[in-house]
Amino acid sequence: KNIELNLTEYLRKENCFVYTDIAKLKQILNNLISNAVKFTRIGKVEFGCLLKKNAIEFFVKDSGIGIHKDMHEQIFERFRQVEVDTTRDFGGLGLGLSISKEYVEMLGGKIWLKSKLNEGAEFYFNIPLISDENAIDDKKQTIAVENDNFEFKTILIAEDNELNFVYLEELLSITKAKIIRAKNGLEAIELCRTNKNIDLVLMDIKMPLLNGFEATKQIKKFRPDLHIIAQTAYAFADDKLKTIESGCNDYIAKPIIEKDFFEIINKFLK
Ligand code: MN
């Protein structure tokens, strides 16, 4: 549809845990984001989450047709659709919102919106933080024993896409490795040249200015021993060959699976 979809706020280093039903949480976000995309013709959809006092607050904002104030309560009711003229063009909100509301409430949270007709819509919901300190400690310990500690290692993530970067950074946060980022191939080369502490590079292939294949070739010229792992959505045999030819030590396919990811990281960092 040629509209932007952006993650604009997210939790990074904070230690905040929610015990929740991941399938339901995903379904709620899916419903809200697909509705937002559906009702937006031009502009953008933004989503993310913030830490509030006792909850994590999620939001999905769009620059779409908006929802009249009179409808704000009704749209969460089962089987009801927005009965404005635009329904014809956009197909109504359907069941997504009433299901989302039910799920949010099952998870102990609330859902609400801010919107005016023709001025976009902002949907919010929250999931309460867990208050049981022991439960938090248990969770931390479980994660800690499952993963290795790379406190003194530096990993360069070469990745142009914000979401992909945040995902990798989040996966790696538990290892305590120092993370640095390059947003394109040229930056990756420059960082490898100037930062001698880099132990491992996670190299995206499709990047602006210079792609991962070329960046790897260049880096290997001055740091032949640096381990470079290609991470790419290209899943064809040809491309695998190309990553190896360009000098990458290994290859991980996107979407990245946590277990495979750590297997490969451990192989090179241990
Ligand atoms: Mn990319």
Side-chain angles (χ1 to χ4, degrees):
K1 290 184 75 180
N2 206 25
I3 57 173
E4 278 181 46
L5 175 64
N6 293 322
L7 172 74
T8 55
E9 298 266 5
Y10 45 87
L11 305 173
R12 302 183 74 147
K13 303 279 183 258
E14 292 97 340
N15 278 322
C16 44
F17 291 93
V18 289
Y19 275 137
T20 197
D21 181 331
I22 188 73
K24 287 198 174 61
L25 181 59
K26 278 183 184 168
Q27 186 65 54
I28 299 161
L29 278 167
N30 254 320
N31 286 347
L32 294 181
I33 292 170
S34 46
N35 263 339
V37 169
K38 190 154 112 186
F39 287 88
T40 302
R41 269 202 192 121
I42 35 172
K44 61 190 173 184
V45 171
E46 291 180 343
F47 70 102
C49 65
L50 299 160
L51 185 59
K52 291 285 164 114
K53 202 172 162 226
N54 294 313
I56 294 180
E57 185 177 286
F58 294 83
F59 62 85
V60 177
K61 302 176 180 181
D62 66 61
S63 58
I65 57 169
I67 298 157
H68 194 279
K69 203 167 182 306
D70 295 347
M71 303 299 293
H72 287 195
E73 294 289 319
Q74 297 173 42
I75 55 161
F76 291 113
E77 284 171 29
R78 207 171 251 282
F79 304 118
R80 190 179 287 274
Q81 303 193 339
V82 175
E83 291 158 30
V84 286
D85 287 345
T86 45
T87 311
R88 264 199 322 269
D89 304 350
F90 294 97
L93 286 156
L95 274 172
L97 286 178
S98 58
I99 290 170
S100 299
K101 182 173 192 267
E102 266 176 37
Y103 282 180
V104 168
E105 287 170 359
M106 276 182 205
L107 301 179
K110 276 198 323 199
I111 188 168
W112 68 97
L113 80 148
K114 291 179 193 164
S115 177
K116 283 181 186 164
L117 199 56
N118 300 320
E119 290 181 21
E122 302 178 359
F123 282 86
Y124 299 85
F125 69 93
N126 58 27
I127 305 286
L129 288 173
I130 59 170
S131 52
D132 184 346
E133 292 292 329
N134 296 326
I136 294 173
D137 284 348
D138 283 356
K139 169 114 181 155
K140 274 186 193 158
Q141 274 170 13
T142 330
I143 296 168
V145 292
E146 279 169 7
N147 288 286
D148 291 289
N149 187 321
F150 297 129
E151 213 172 334
F152 304 107
K153 302 285 187 184
T154 301
I155 300 174
L156 170 65
I157 301 176
E159 174 61 75
D160 60 320
N161 180 287
E162 185 67 22
L163 255 180
N164 292 344
F165 170 73
V166 171
Y167 176 65
L168 289 177
E169 192 188 32
E170 185 60 36
L171 280 183
L172 286 166
S173 66
I174 209 73
T175 71
K176 298 196 174 77
K178 185 167 187 249
I179 306 294
I180 50 177
R181 179 187 182 186
K183 291 186 178 182
N184 59 60
L186 291 181
E187 267 184 36
I189 296 171
E190 200 45 41
L191 283 166
C192 288
R193 207 189 293 277
T194 52
N195 189 335
K196 299 285 175 242
N197 296 324
I198 295 172
D199 298 291
L200 184 73
V201 183
L202 295 170
M203 182 71 81
D204 180 29
I205 295 303
K206 211 175 158 207
M207 285 190 292
L209 299 177
L210 194 70
N211 69 36
F213 295 132
E214 289 306 317
T216 301
K217 275 183 202 160
Q218 303 278 336
I219 293 166
K220 285 286 180 174
K221 280 182 193 162
F222 58 87
R223 285 197 63 182
D225 299 332
L226 180 60
H227 290 140
I228 301 180
I229 300 168
Q231 35 128 353
T232 170
Y234 302 152
F236 303 107
D238 258 16
D239 294 306
K240 279 188 192 174
L241 195 66
K242 234 172 143 185
T243 56
I244 301 305
E245 275 173 5
S246 69
C248 292
N249 299 79
D250 214 324
Y251 166 98
I252 185 156
K254 285 178 180 171
I256 288 169
I257 313 294
E258 195 171 338
K259 192 178 154 283
D260 302 347
F261 178 71
F262 280 110
E263 254 175 48
I264 230 166
I265 297 285
N266 287 340
K267 187 164 120 189
F268 289 104
L269 280 188
K270 255 185 175 169

PDB file of all heavy atoms in Angstrom, residues 158-161 164 183 204-208 231 254, ligand 1:
ATOM      1  N   ALA A 158      25.800  -5.387  11.721  1.00  0.00           N
ATOM      2  CA  ALA A 158      25.622  -4.546  10.534  1.00  0.00           C
ATOM      3  C   ALA A 158      24.217  -4.816  10.022  1.00  0.00           C
ATOM      4  O   ALA A 158      23.920  -5.897   9.521  1.00  0.00           O
ATOM      5  CB  ALA A 158      26.669  -4.884   9.482  1.00  0.00           C
ATOM      6  N   GLU A 159      23.355  -3.856  10.199  1.00  0.00           N
ATOM      7  CA  GLU A 159      21.930  -4.070   9.883  1.00  0.00           C
ATOM      8  C   GLU A 159      21.259  -2.724   9.636  1.00  0.00           C
ATOM      9  O   GLU A 159      21.305  -1.842  10.496  1.00  0.00           O
ATOM     10  CB  GLU A 159      21.280  -4.801  11.066  1.00  0.00           C
ATOM     11  CG  GLU A 159      19.785  -4.985  10.978  1.00  0.00           C
ATOM     12  CD  GLU A 159      19.341  -5.801   9.780  1.00  0.00           C
ATOM     13  OE1 GLU A 159      19.497  -7.032   9.790  1.00  0.00           O
ATOM     14  OE2 GLU A 159      18.856  -5.174   8.814  1.00  0.00           O
ATOM     15  N   ASP A 160      20.668  -2.543   8.472  1.00  0.00           N
ATOM     16  CA  ASP A 160      20.023  -1.266   8.163  1.00  0.00           C
ATOM     17  C   ASP A 160      18.617  -1.167   8.748  1.00  0.00           C
ATOM     18  O   ASP A 160      18.131  -0.085   9.027  1.00  0.00           O
ATOM     19  CB  ASP A 160      19.983  -1.014   6.648  1.00  0.00           C
ATOM     20  CG  ASP A 160      19.222  -2.100   5.904  1.00  0.00           C
ATOM     21  OD1 ASP A 160      19.380  -3.285   6.271  1.00  0.00           O
ATOM     22  OD2 ASP A 160      18.477  -1.773   4.968  1.00  0.00           O
ATOM     23  N   ASN A 161      17.987  -2.318   8.953  1.00  0.00           N
ATOM     24  CA  ASN A 161      16.595  -2.304   9.398  1.00  0.00           C
ATOM     25  C   ASN A 161      16.506  -2.213  10.926  1.00  0.00           C
ATOM     26  O   ASN A 161      17.081  -3.019  11.646  1.00  0.00           O
ATOM     27  CB  ASN A 161      15.913  -3.570   8.892  1.00  0.00           C
ATOM     28  CG  ASN A 161      14.463  -3.648   9.299  1.00  0.00           C
ATOM     29  OD1 ASN A 161      14.160  -3.891  10.468  1.00  0.00           O
ATOM     30  ND2 ASN A 161      13.581  -3.424   8.362  1.00  0.00           N
ATOM     31  N   ASN A 164      14.977  -5.325  12.822  1.00  0.00           N
ATOM     32  CA  ASN A 164      15.893  -6.468  12.845  1.00  0.00           C
ATOM     33  C   ASN A 164      17.016  -6.236  13.835  1.00  0.00           C
ATOM     34  O   ASN A 164      17.423  -7.143  14.549  1.00  0.00           O
ATOM     35  CB  ASN A 164      16.489  -6.719  11.455  1.00  0.00           C
ATOM     36  CG  ASN A 164      15.442  -7.194  10.476  1.00  0.00           C
ATOM     37  OD1 ASN A 164      14.360  -7.612  10.879  1.00  0.00           O
ATOM     38  ND2 ASN A 164      15.750  -7.119   9.196  1.00  0.00           N
ATOM     39  N   LYS A 183      24.940   0.829  10.073  1.00  0.00           N
ATOM     40  CA  LYS A 183      23.672   0.854   9.348  1.00  0.00           C
ATOM     41  C   LYS A 183      23.832   0.591   7.855  1.00  0.00           C
ATOM     42  O   LYS A 183      22.864   0.553   7.117  1.00  0.00           O
ATOM     43  CB  LYS A 183      22.968   2.192   9.565  1.00  0.00           C
ATOM     44  CG  LYS A 183      22.485   2.360  10.986  1.00  0.00           C
ATOM     45  CD  LYS A 183      21.667   3.638  11.149  1.00  0.00           C
ATOM     46  CE  LYS A 183      21.162   3.732  12.579  1.00  0.00           C
ATOM     47  NZ  LYS A 183      20.326   4.910  12.800  1.00  0.00           N
ATOM     48  N   ASP A 204      24.351  -8.216   7.819  1.00  0.00           N
ATOM     49  CA  ASP A 204      23.184  -8.230   6.944  1.00  0.00           C
ATOM     50  C   ASP A 204      23.704  -8.167   5.504  1.00  0.00           C
ATOM     51  O   ASP A 204      24.769  -7.603   5.253  1.00  0.00           O
ATOM     52  CB  ASP A 204      22.304  -7.013   7.257  1.00  0.00           C
ATOM     53  CG  ASP A 204      21.062  -6.951   6.381  1.00  0.00           C
ATOM     54  OD1 ASP A 204      20.575  -8.007   5.961  1.00  0.00           O
ATOM     55  OD2 ASP A 204      20.585  -5.826   6.140  1.00  0.00           O
ATOM     56  N   ILE A 205      22.986  -8.752   4.568  1.00  0.00           N
ATOM     57  CA  ILE A 205      23.460  -8.731   3.181  1.00  0.00           C
ATOM     58  C   ILE A 205      22.905  -7.530   2.421  1.00  0.00           C
ATOM     59  O   ILE A 205      23.625  -6.765   1.804  1.00  0.00           O
ATOM     60  CB  ILE A 205      23.140 -10.057   2.453  1.00  0.00           C
ATOM     61  CG1 ILE A 205      23.918 -11.217   3.101  1.00  0.00           C
ATOM     62  CG2 ILE A 205      23.473  -9.957   0.964  1.00  0.00           C
ATOM     63  CD1 ILE A 205      25.426 -11.053   3.140  1.00  0.00           C
ATOM     64  N   LYS A 206      21.596  -7.358   2.512  1.00  0.00           N
ATOM     65  CA  LYS A 206      20.984  -6.260   1.766  1.00  0.00           C
ATOM     66  C   LYS A 206      21.030  -4.978   2.599  1.00  0.00           C
ATOM     67  O   LYS A 206      20.261  -4.806   3.543  1.00  0.00           O
ATOM     68  CB  LYS A 206      19.535  -6.616   1.429  1.00  0.00           C
ATOM     69  CG  LYS A 206      19.054  -6.019   0.147  1.00  0.00           C
ATOM     70  CD  LYS A 206      17.674  -6.494  -0.197  1.00  0.00           C
ATOM     71  CE  LYS A 206      17.009  -5.513  -1.145  1.00  0.00           C
ATOM     72  NZ  LYS A 206      15.549  -5.541  -1.017  1.00  0.00           N
ATOM     73  N   MET A 207      21.972  -4.114   2.245  1.00  0.00           N
ATOM     74  CA  MET A 207      22.132  -2.853   2.988  1.00  0.00           C
ATOM     75  C   MET A 207      22.407  -1.721   1.998  1.00  0.00           C
ATOM     76  O   MET A 207      22.966  -1.965   0.926  1.00  0.00           O
ATOM     77  CB  MET A 207      23.312  -2.954   3.964  1.00  0.00           C
ATOM     78  CG  MET A 207      23.035  -3.773   5.194  1.00  0.00           C
ATOM     79  SD  MET A 207      24.362  -3.605   6.410  1.00  0.00           S
ATOM     80  CE  MET A 207      25.698  -4.438   5.572  1.00  0.00           C
ATOM     81  N   PRO A 208      22.070  -0.495   2.375  1.00  0.00           N
ATOM     82  CA  PRO A 208      22.349   0.627   1.475  1.00  0.00           C
ATOM     83  C   PRO A 208      23.850   0.941   1.366  1.00  0.00           C
ATOM     84  O   PRO A 208      24.625   0.501   2.209  1.00  0.00           O
ATOM     85  CB  PRO A 208      21.604   1.790   2.115  1.00  0.00           C
ATOM     86  CG  PRO A 208      21.339   1.393   3.517  1.00  0.00           C
ATOM     87  CD  PRO A 208      21.326  -0.097   3.566  1.00  0.00           C
ATOM     88  N   GLN A 231      23.840 -12.733   7.819  1.00  0.00           N
ATOM     89  CA  GLN A 231      22.451 -12.982   8.228  1.00  0.00           C
ATOM     90  C   GLN A 231      21.586 -12.396   7.129  1.00  0.00           C
ATOM     91  O   GLN A 231      21.612 -11.210   6.856  1.00  0.00           O
ATOM     92  CB  GLN A 231      22.160 -12.388   9.603  1.00  0.00           C
ATOM     93  CG  GLN A 231      22.878 -11.101   9.907  1.00  0.00           C
ATOM     94  CD  GLN A 231      21.932 -10.023  10.381  1.00  0.00           C
ATOM     95  OE1 GLN A 231      20.717 -10.192  10.369  1.00  0.00           O
ATOM     96  NE2 GLN A 231      22.477  -8.894  10.760  1.00  0.00           N
ATOM     97  N   LYS A 254      17.320 -15.545   7.808  1.00  0.00           N
ATOM     98  CA  LYS A 254      16.244 -14.778   8.440  1.00  0.00           C
ATOM     99  C   LYS A 254      14.914 -15.384   8.008  1.00  0.00           C
ATOM    100  O   LYS A 254      14.796 -15.786   6.863  1.00  0.00           O
ATOM    101  CB  LYS A 254      16.293 -13.325   7.975  1.00  0.00           C
ATOM    102  CG  LYS A 254      17.394 -12.520   8.592  1.00  0.00           C
ATOM    103  CD  LYS A 254      17.332 -11.113   7.990  1.00  0.00           C
ATOM    104  CE  LYS A 254      18.426 -10.227   8.558  1.00  0.00           C
ATOM    105  NZ  LYS A 254      18.494  -8.947   7.835  1.00  0.00           N
TER     106      LYS A 254
HETATM  107 MN    MN B   1      18.871  -5.105   5.191  1.00  0.00          MN
END
